[in-house]
Amino acid sequence: MPRSGFPALAPSTVPAFCFLHFLLLCPSCARQSPPANRNLTLAVVLPESNLRYAWSWPRVAPALRMAVERAQGELRLLPGYQVELAFLTSELDGACSEYVAPLNAVDLRLYRDPDVLFGPGCVYPAASVARFATHWRLPLITAGALAFGFKQDDDHYNTTVRTGPTAIKLGEFVSHLHEHFNWSSRAALVYHDVKMDDRPHYFIIEGVFLALDKEFNNLTVRYQMYPEDEDVGSVVQFIRSNGRVIYICGPLDMLHRIMLQAHREELTGGDYVFFYVDVFAESLRGDVNREAKKPWQSNQAQEKELREAFKRLPLLR
């Protein structure tokens, strides 16, 4: 959901933008001349190799290095400082680890004494490290940690700065949609969930559910997890019985199945409003079966039907 007046930034570049913004607004640490050769250490705890994460180290590292170069060169900030990047992984066996991340954050704190911490982005590792950062009174900047639980008024996370999309802001946006269009009857949420790794779809749709359930007294909000047996018929029956405004959050192939069945059962004619919740625009990335920015494409014979179904499908991101 781009905000007017601000450039659209990729999640991997936002931490670097935030670092520069921090320096520009902090004259005491950016422009006053400290003792010569003083170190400024930027500690980083992010996934080391898995590029599926928008905040993985290979994506973030170039942006951070460019930010440091610009701060010390073109902007002439940090006179007399030697800026160092200290990286340790938050990844174990190719996935975010709530075990590895806090241990490495503690090691960085003990042995490198950082001035600011970047990451983690995944929800469970970020929660653990953010609590440590609050205890250390250390700023933590992350493009992830999108869960509703990272509330600004929570003392556990009061040094955490989230620069990416959040479940809270997504919920606020959905509330504005319902208020603007007077959608005050029934809403239904369908989401995919695997109780391992980062559970991204669960934490994204959580913000929508909590916002609608809190803000609208007369709105009936129901939810259903996408069944493991991929029984699309039961999902469409749930939609028919419980919703008029539908929010779907899950992998693209799940969306294809639901929309195809909904179209065949004539739910895409205007009586129902469908939204696909995809905050990192993963559905717009191309693959071997479809072009980029064309998520309705597939190598199946039903592509024509999917195209018609997708005409009724806004994208929330």
Side-chain angles (χ1 to χ4, degrees):
M1 295 179 294
R3 293 168 291 182
S4 60
F6 291 87
L9 298 174
S12 57
T13 65
V14 172
F17 174 82
C18 191
F19 169 64
L20 284 175
H21 190 64
F22 169 76
L23 293 179
L24 289 170
L25 296 180
C26 183
S28 62
C29 61
R31 298 191 183 278
Q32 292 184 358
S33 297
N37 300 322
R38 181 176 175 180
N39 287 337
L40 180 68
T41 302
L42 315 181
V44 184
V45 182
L46 291 172
E48 185 172 9
S49 58
N50 191 340
L51 295 179
R52 182 173 65 86
Y53 301 112
W55 47 78
S56 63
W57 177 236
R59 294 179 182 273
V60 172
L64 271 177
R65 293 191 177 102
M66 290 173 64
V68 171
E69 290 176 4
R70 188 181 180 197
Q72 294 185 304
E74 178 185 345
L75 300 179
R76 298 183 180 180
L77 302 175
L78 305 172
Y81 281 94
Q82 179 67 36
V83 181
E84 296 181 349
L85 286 174
F87 168 78
L88 288 177
T89 186
S90 64
E91 188 177 325
L92 180 65
D93 297 329
C96 287
S97 171
E98 57 183 311
Y99 164 74
V100 169
L103 289 180
N104 282 340
V106 170
D107 282 348
L108 287 168
R109 171 65 174 171
L110 288 175
Y111 301 119
R112 302 302 295 270
D113 190 23
D115 299 279
V116 62
L117 180 62
F118 289 89
C122 297
V123 170
Y124 292 117
S128 300
V129 175
R131 293 189 188 101
F132 282 133
T134 298
H135 176 68
W136 298 328
R137 298 182 180 180
L138 186 68
L140 183 147
I141 300 173
T142 175
L146 54 76
F148 188 88
F150 292 91
K151 299 185 290 294
Q152 294 178 344
D153 58 353
D154 194 321
D155 291 340
H156 293 159
Y157 309 113
N158 58 17
T159 65
T160 300
V161 178
R162 296 188 291 172
T163 63
T166 69
I168 294 174
K169 290 298 182 183
L170 178 62
E172 291 176 356
F173 176 71
V174 168
S175 294
H176 286 308
L177 278 179
H178 278 254
E179 183 177 1
H180 179 77
F181 291 106
N182 194 27
W183 292 336
S184 57
S185 176
R186 294 189 292 171
L189 287 61
V190 181
Y191 68 97
H192 178 266
D193 189 24
V194 177
K195 296 182 180 179
M196 57 186 297
D197 198 10
D198 199 35
R199 297 182 70 186
H201 304 112
Y202 171 84
F203 287 115
I204 292 170
I205 206 67
E206 177 191 35
V208 176
F209 173 79
L210 292 175
L212 294 180
D213 191 54
K214 176 183 178 182
E215 296 295 331
F216 300 92
N217 294 329
N218 297 324
L219 179 66
T220 301
V221 186
R222 297 286 184 264
Y223 62 88
Q224 175 174 301
M225 187 171 71
Y226 188 68
E228 294 183 3
D229 60 3
E230 299 181 350
D231 182 5
V232 181
S234 67
V235 174
V236 174
Q237 180 59 43
F238 164 78
I239 291 172
R240 186 190 297 275
S241 302
N242 295 280
R244 284 297 179 266
V245 183
I246 317 301
Y247 297 92
I248 301 172
C249 187
L252 187 59
D253 59 344
M254 165 189 147
L255 176 68
H256 280 180
R257 295 189 187 100
I258 293 175
M259 292 306 299
L260 191 61
Q261 186 65 26
H263 186 63
R264 289 171 175 172
E265 296 191 25
E266 300 181 349
L267 269 64
T268 58
D271 292 332
Y272 297 81
V273 179
F274 291 86
F275 288 97
Y276 182 46
V277 185
D278 180 16
V279 295
F280 291 109
E282 294 181 1
S283 64
L284 300 183
R285 300 173 188 171
D287 59 27
V288 295
N289 296 323
R290 60 185 176 83
E291 299 177 36
K293 300 183 180 180
K294 295 184 178 181
W296 61 84
Q297 287 185 333
S298 74
N299 59 355
Q300 303 173 355
Q302 303 95 346
E303 183 173 322
K304 184 177 180 180
E305 287 183 281
L306 277 174
R307 183 188 294 271
E308 291 301 315
F310 265 67
K311 289 180 180 179
R312 280 82 174 178
L313 186 74
L315 178 68
L316 290 187
R317 64 184 183 92

